[in-house]
Amino acid sequence: MKVVKLESSVKKSNSKNCVITDYCFNSPYMDLVMADIEGRYPNIGYCVNENCDEIAFIIDGKVTISYKDNQSFELSKSDAVLISKGEQYFWNGTCKMLITCSPSWYPEQYKIIK
């Protein structure tokens, strides 16, 4: 078992519109971050995880997730979405969400598609 308290987490900024709090469990199988999004993320284009499936759970606020195939879904408090590896998407709105990836997220597999 590993416990990570808020004071041991690591805050990072992905962009001016997205700040994450990383709960560093250091597991190769799954991870957990809290993301605060205000506006569009990424600022232009789409993001994609090439090797990780991602689940996002909305804690508070409202956000729209838009996919490259022109599908969009509005999400609000207590909604969740599964984003399969390879899906290109962007967020737009103001929300706080929990995100977990499996296997654990790592930067080399994450791309911004313009």
Side-chain angles (χ1 to χ4, degrees):
M1 178 184 309
K2 181 167 185 180
V3 174
V4 179
K5 295 194 170 242
L6 178 60
E7 58 268 15
S8 299
S9 65
V10 178
K11 198 169 233 182
K12 303 173 187 175
S13 180
N14 287 351
S15 75
K16 67 177 186 159
N17 297 342
C18 181
V19 175
I20 65 162
T21 303
D22 190 353
Y23 291 81
C24 304
F25 288 99
N26 298 318
S27 166
Y29 306 110
M30 68 175 62
D31 57 16
L32 182 68
V33 300
M34 185 168 41
D36 289 294
I37 293 180
E38 292 195 22
R40 190 184 193 285
Y41 179 80
N43 297 340
I44 58 170
Y46 298 86
C47 52
V48 62
N49 288 305
E50 294 180 332
N51 296 319
C52 301
D53 289 333
E54 178 177 331
I55 293 176
F57 177 84
I58 310 305
I59 298 170
D60 196 24
K62 290 186 179 181
V63 67
T64 299
I65 184 168
S66 298
Y67 291 89
K68 191 166 185 179
D69 67 4
N70 293 322
Q71 284 188 313
S72 293
F73 302 95
E74 187 173 296
L75 304 169
S76 57
K77 185 177 181 175
S78 299
D79 292 339
V81 60
L82 169 65
I83 305 163
S84 298
K85 65 182 175 184
E87 290 185 306
Q88 297 179 24
Y89 64 95
F90 67 87
W91 300 102
N92 196 2
T94 301
C95 75
K96 181 182 292 286
M97 68 176 89
L98 284 176
I99 300 171
T100 186
C101 291
S102 181
S104 289
W105 188 93
Y106 57 97
E108 296 81 13
Q109 63 83 48
Y110 179 78
K111 306 287 186 254
I112 301 289
I113 311 295
K114 297 191 180 190

